[in-house]
Amino acid sequence: MIQESMLEGRIALITLDRQKALNALSFQQLQNLDQAIDRVVAKRARGLVITGAGDKAFCAGADIPELIGRTLREEHDGARMGQEVFQRIHQLPVPSVAVIHGYAFGGGLELALACTFRVATAAARMGLPEIKLGLIPGYGGTQRLPRLVGEGRALELILSGRTVKADEAERIGLVNQVVETGAPAEIGAAYLAPFLQYGLNALDFARQAVQRGMQTTLEEGLRIERDLSTLAYRTADAAEGMQAFLDKRGPVFKDA
Ligand code: CO8
């Protein structure tokens, strides 16, 4: 089950709620998440917070019993489905943050990696322990973790299955911020608030320039930046931002 609500400032909150299995992601739950993302888009949310219900786990990964006894085709299709849902989250035009309290393992950490940002509470533990099951990550972990923390650290974590505490996760850049404790919705909304004072177009273009540039050559990345910065320049919010500077007042952005 997935709980959904809208927080102040049109920030959508998605809560994975399958507490008896530490919010593990069954295939049904992945479909529920996909449909919840449809609704976030339809409601024109300006930001997204993803978290897990209860105080034990953000998400303990894919549902392990469900992975047993599947054909190669089923396994391949399952990995594709998880990757596609997480890629949708990764490419949302609005900023997203995973609020990680308790465990974020395997597919759970891969879900957090797909968000724009990650905030962990001090008691959080994170890792990709698939190797201990004789598996490897299949929902984007082998690709997104090295892009975030570097190849050496990612290999060390993926090949050992070692889990990290919040302070180490912050030190290696796996999470953006650690907070002592608090309600996940409030933590997420507070984290997104400074970004959401800006226009959605500029936020989206900047995110795209960084993320698309990370997947290509410097030369191609510079071309992407040129195109997107030119598009940003053409928006009403850019006209407002520059005029507000001249007028010595704060800008009023309208996501236009
Ligand atoms: N799936 C299903 N059930 C789970 C999962 C899980 N990933 N994790 C925990 N549970 C269940 C337990 O079975 C237990 O249920 P029950 O009470 O019925 O026995 C309940 O949640 C509570 O768990 P524990 O009693 O184990 O709680 P502890 O606090 O002792 O331990 C841990 C918590 C350390 C998180 C432990 O449960 C654990 O190690 N869980 C597994 C973590 C893991 O290995 N995750 C990776 C899974 S594989 C994966 O994510 C691959 C993704 C890509 C797949 C691509 C192919 C399609």
Side-chain angles (χ1 to χ4, degrees):
M1 185 184 133
I2 301 254
Q3 291 176 29
E4 287 168 60
S5 57
M6 196 61 92
L7 307 173
E8 214 172 297
R10 278 193 13 237
I11 298 175
L13 172 68
I14 289 181
T15 307
L16 307 178
D17 190 356
R18 207 176 151 234
Q19 294 183 54
K20 66 176 170 37
L22 301 181
N23 302 322
L25 281 170
S26 61
F27 291 112
Q28 179 61 56
Q29 191 71 330
L30 270 176
Q31 273 177 20
N32 296 342
L33 182 58
D34 195 36
Q35 288 160 5
I37 299 301
D38 286 340
R39 290 188 287 274
V40 167
V41 173
K43 285 181 194 159
R44 307 182 72 81
R46 296 192 79 242
L48 171 64
V49 177
I50 300 184
T51 193
D55 52 15
K56 276 196 82 175
F58 171 77
C59 170
D63 187 283
I64 296 172
E66 226 183 44
L67 296 180
I68 296 167
R70 289 151 53 79
T71 63
L72 282 182
R73 173 51 58 193
E74 286 169 336
E75 185 55 26
H76 197 260
D77 289 348
R80 182 196 300 273
M81 179 186 166
Q83 288 181 349
E84 284 176 355
V85 176
F86 290 4
Q87 185 70 344
R88 282 192 74 196
I89 294 170
H90 192 70
Q91 293 178 337
L92 278 177
V94 300
S96 58
V97 60
V99 179
I100 304 168
H101 55 91
Y103 307 116
F105 289 161
L109 182 58
E110 290 173 300
L111 169 58
L113 288 170
C115 292
T116 323
F117 305 111
R118 285 144 295 284
V119 175
T121 63
R125 283 198 89 101
M126 287 148 269
L128 294 175
E130 285 90 339
I131 201 95
K132 297 179 183 172
L133 300 167
L135 299 172
I136 74 165
Y139 291 162
T142 64
Q143 302 308 303
R144 293 205 176 93
L145 188 63
R147 283 171 166 79
L148 201 56
V149 304
E151 180 184 335
R153 284 193 177 112
L155 281 170
E156 190 261 316
L157 290 174
I158 294 169
L159 270 57
S160 69
R162 183 171 74 82
T163 61
V164 297
K165 294 183 181 166
D167 52 354
E168 182 180 354
E170 187 180 33
R171 185 166 52 75
I172 66 175
L174 175 54
V175 301
N176 298 88
Q177 190 183 70
V178 177
V179 294
E180 268 314 302
T181 182
E186 285 165 23
I187 293 170
Y191 186 79
L192 288 182
F195 303 102
L196 294 180
Q197 67 184 302
Y198 304 119
L200 285 186
N201 285 321
L203 289 169
D204 184 32
F205 294 152
R207 178 196 57 78
Q208 277 194 53
V210 171
Q211 290 180 345
R212 288 169 57 189
M214 292 291 288
Q215 293 160 27
T216 187
T217 60
L218 176 63
E219 197 176 343
E220 175 65 12
L222 290 172
R223 192 189 60 76
I224 292 170
E225 182 188 78
R226 265 195 318 276
D227 291 348
L228 288 169
S229 65
T230 305
L231 268 182
Y233 177 80
R234 299 285 300 167
T235 63
D237 279 347
E240 163 64 9
M242 291 185 284
Q243 188 60 50
F245 175 80
L246 294 182
D247 296 348
K248 300 191 186 303
R249 61 174 172 83
V252 182
F253 294 126
K254 295 182 173 158
D255 298 338

